[in-house]
């Protein structure tokens, strides 16, 4: 037995790539590719995302807050995976968008999550080539003590697709959102560059700026007061 | 040593074509992951263990995506595998402690299976296990460039030319690096007392 024969046998019983690891790594990559800027790309003008809340009726109603469950002592969100692979997402407070994004990626769902403080406009729509509503997870409207929630199966998200969730939240009471929107985008997802809306104007609420690095998994949130 | 040929059939798009397409349609790059994730992970896991390999798998493909403009189709006769394994190898350099630990574990666990249980076979197994420990001991002590070349050959099934592409070094350098480590291993096996020589 020569040295190469010996070497080739060492570690030959290394376990194969686990399905969970594959899903997570793939979701991370797809999220990254979906956020890559492609100059000159023609986007679909279809607008099929589902806005839940006041914004569905028009931007003029943005300021109408929708009560979301107030559970300040519990985590901001929950991502639960059932035995059949279905993922249930519950959002109790609209903070730590990138934490929720990472948690979804861990569950094998490429995702882009953006929370925008009320009064700072909305993400320019569409963010990409959106699937029609009947292929989009149904979002349960936050009402009373019931938080916003939706469920989906990783199978709903195909190879080049990304879950996109946006919320306009009350900076003073992050458990409140005036609008929540969920969609599935095929291909690239444009960055959220909030447009100036009718509710724009002086505000004392904080602006949350995210610096997200999918490669390292690190996220930094910088809070500042626009009113100061 | 089994050789894995993951080149696509003529009916499938080549890796080079997919990477080229991903410059305009980034999402296409996921196909490169689908084709090569298992092989890249296997190589990483053998070198640093499964847990660290899980993390480096993501890092490898995210880096590859960011640097896809550097992929040279002229060197792509074997597809994207050598390029990806080269990126994985570079990322491994930040995990040298984990790699040394992994190689030491492999050395400790080194057994060479035999089907027979006869006394002669047991003796042979003991000899082979001792030799395997010597091989791993030599490997740990080698310059990282030499180890990279040898393990891309032995554990990632790359040819000398593909290793040259992966590490961006001349093929003659690959040949001399692998020859140097193999000679040290052979010397160590044949004369264990000399295992610290020539390093």
């Amino acid at each position: 037995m020569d040295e190469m024969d010996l070497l080739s046998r060492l570690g030959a019983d290394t376990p194969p790539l686990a399905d969970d690891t594959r899903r997570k790594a793939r979701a991370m990559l797809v999220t990254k590719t979906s956020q890559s800027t492609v100059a000159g790309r023609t986007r679909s003008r279809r607008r099929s995302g589902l806005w839940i809340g006041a914004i569905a009726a028009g931007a003029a109603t943005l300021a109408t807050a929708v009560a979301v469950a107030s559970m300040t002592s519990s985590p901001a969100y929950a991502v639960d995976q059932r035995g059949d692979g279905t993922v249930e997402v519950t959002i109790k407070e609209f903070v730590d968008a990138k934490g929720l994004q990472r948690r979804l990626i861990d569950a094998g769902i490429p995702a882009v999550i953006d929370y925008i403080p009320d009064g700072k406009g909305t993400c320019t729509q569409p963010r990409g080539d959106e699937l029609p509503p009947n292929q989009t997870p149904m979002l349960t409207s936050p009402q009373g003590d019931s938080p916003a929630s939706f469920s989906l199966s990783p199978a709903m998200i195909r190879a080049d697709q990304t879950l996109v969730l946006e919320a306009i939240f009350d900076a003073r009471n992050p458990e409140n959102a005036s609008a929540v929107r969920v969609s599935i985008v095929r291909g690239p997802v444009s960055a959220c560059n909030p447009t100036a809306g009718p509710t724009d104007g002086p505000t004392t609420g904080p602006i949350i700026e995210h610096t997200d690095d999918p490669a390292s998994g690190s996220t930094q949130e910088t809070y500042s007061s626009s009113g100061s | 040593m089994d050789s894995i040929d993951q080149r696509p059939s003529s009916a499938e798009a080549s890796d080079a074509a997919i990477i080229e397409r991903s410059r305009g349609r980034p999402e296409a790059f996921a196909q490169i992951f689908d084709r090569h994730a298992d092989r890249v992970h296997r190589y990483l896991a053998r070198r640093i263990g499964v847990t660290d390999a899980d993390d480096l798998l993501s890092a490898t493909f995210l880096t590859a995506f960011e640097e896809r403009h550097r992929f040279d189709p002229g060197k792509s006769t074997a597809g994207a595998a050598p390029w990806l394994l080269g990126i994985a190898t570079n990322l491994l350099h930040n995990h040298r402690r984990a790699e040394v630990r992994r190689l030491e574990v492999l050395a400790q666990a080194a057994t060479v299976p035999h089907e027979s249980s006869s006394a002669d076979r047991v003796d042979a197994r003991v000899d082979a296990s001792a030799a395997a420990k010597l091989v791993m001991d030599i490997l740990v002590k080698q310059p990282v460039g030499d180890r990279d070349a040898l393990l891309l050959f032995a554990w990632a099934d790359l040819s000398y030319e593909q290793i040259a592409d992966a590490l961006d070094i001349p093929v003659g350098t690959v040949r001399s690096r692998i020859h140097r480590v193999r000679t040290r291993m052979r010397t160590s096996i044949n004369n264990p007392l000399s295992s610290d020589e020539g390093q």
Side-chain angles (χ1 to χ4, degrees):
Chain A
M1 185 174 294
D2 70 11
E3 71 284 355
M4 292 307 293
D5 197 8
L6 281 168
L7 191 59
S8 67
R9 290 167 183 258
L10 291 168
D13 57 351
T14 300
L17 175 58
D19 288 343
D20 283 353
T21 305
R22 182 195 310 278
R23 273 197 296 273
K24 177 182 173 182
R26 195 180 196 289
M28 201 176 287
L29 177 66
V30 171
T31 299
K32 177 80 172 177
T33 65
S34 73
Q35 293 177 300
S36 178
T37 303
V38 182
R41 177 90 182 264
T42 302
R43 292 200 194 108
S44 163
R45 304 309 302 170
R46 188 168 52 208
R47 302 177 70 130
S48 56
L50 300 176
W51 278 108
I52 298 293
I55 202 166
T61 59
L62 246 179
T64 306
V66 176
V68 179
S70 177
M71 303 178 194
T72 52
S73 62
S74 58
Y77 55 84
V79 177
D80 299 315
Q81 202 151 14
R82 291 189 203 142
D84 64 358
T86 302
V87 175
E88 290 187 336
V89 181
T90 305
I91 304 172
K92 301 163 187 169
E93 289 187 349
F94 292 90
V95 296
D96 193 18
K98 297 309 170 189
L100 175 57
Q101 179 174 305
R102 278 197 304 276
R103 182 67 188 84
L104 286 166
I105 289 171
D106 285 350
I109 298 172
V112 174
I113 313 291
D114 291 293
Y115 296 158
I116 305 109
D118 204 351
K120 293 296 175 184
T122 62
C123 302
T124 305
Q125 301 296 331
R127 304 265 310 262
D129 184 9
E130 292 181 348
L131 299 189
N134 63 359
Q135 295 176 37
T136 299
M138 289 298 293
L139 186 74
T140 300
S141 176
Q143 284 185 330
D145 290 337
S146 300
S149 65
F150 63 92
S151 65
L152 77 166
S153 158
M156 287 180 70
I157 311 276
R158 296 192 179 172
D160 61 344
Q161 298 173 356
T162 305
L163 176 79
V164 178
L165 186 146
E166 302 151 15
I168 313 297
F169 72 100
D170 182 344
R172 296 184 192 83
N173 299 292
E175 67 272 24
N176 292 339
S178 59
V180 183
R181 188 177 198 272
V182 63
S183 61
I184 293 178
V185 170
R186 184 191 297 118
V189 178
S190 61
C192 178
N193 298 311
T195 55
T199 61
D200 277 0
T203 175
T204 55
I207 298 170
I208 302 177
E209 297 176 347
H210 294 289
T211 305
D212 191 32
D213 180 5
S216 66
S218 67
T219 302
Q220 292 185 329
E221 290 185 348
T222 305
Y223 289 76
S224 63
S225 170
S226 62
S228 59
Chain B
M1 188 185 315
D2 57 338
S3 179
I4 303 171
D5 186 351
Q6 296 192 350
R7 281 177 292 181
S9 70
S10 57
E12 296 177 306
S14 68
D15 287 349
I18 291 170
I19 292 170
E20 177 63 29
R21 191 187 315 145
S22 75
R23 291 175 184 169
R25 298 185 62 86
E27 65 274 19
F29 199 81
Q31 293 177 65
I32 296 298
F33 178 92
D34 294 338
R35 286 183 176 181
H36 299 289
D38 287 281
R39 186 176 182 183
V40 171
H41 185 269
R42 180 173 170 76
Y43 167 70
L44 288 169
R46 278 182 97 167
R47 286 194 66 166
I48 56 168
V50 171
T51 303
D52 288 316
D54 289 351
D55 293 335
L56 277 193
L57 178 71
S58 284
T60 297
F61 281 91
L62 291 172
T63 301
F65 174 70
E66 289 289 338
E67 298 187 354
R68 63 195 188 282
H69 62 283
R70 294 177 185 268
F71 178 72
D72 183 356
K75 295 180 178 178
S76 68
T77 54
W83 175 62
L84 293 166
L85 289 163
I87 291 170
T89 300
N90 284 332
L91 293 173
L92 275 169
H93 294 167
N94 295 323
H95 295 71
R96 290 183 67 177
R97 274 191 220 167
E99 183 181 22
V100 169
R101 277 199 304 273
R102 165 71 176 167
L103 295 178
E104 287 172 349
V105 166
L106 285 179
Q108 289 299 318
T111 57
V112 181
H114 285 278
E115 293 178 0
S116 168
S117 60
S118 70
D120 287 346
R121 290 296 188 189
V122 170
D123 288 344
R125 185 166 62 236
V126 171
D127 288 347
S129 296
K133 287 183 174 63
L134 290 170
V135 162
M136 298 309 285
D137 190 46
I138 290 290
L139 198 58
V140 167
K141 294 175 180 173
Q142 296 314 298
V144 67
D146 292 10
R147 189 160 70 223
D148 288 343
L150 183 69
L151 294 183
L152 283 168
F153 180 69
W155 287 355
D157 302 312
L158 295 188
S159 69
Y160 284 14
E161 291 75 15
Q162 291 165 355
I163 294 168
D165 291 343
L167 301 181
D168 197 21
I169 56 178
V171 69
T173 303
V174 173
R175 195 170 284 113
S176 63
R177 285 182 181 182
I178 292 177
H179 175 75
R180 186 161 55 225
V181 188
R182 290 189 65 177
T183 300
R184 286 174 181 161
M185 287 178 167
R186 206 174 301 130
T187 302
S188 177
I189 292 170
N190 294 332
N191 183 10
L193 295 178
S194 71
S195 62
D196 288 336
E197 294 175 3
Q199 289 160 43

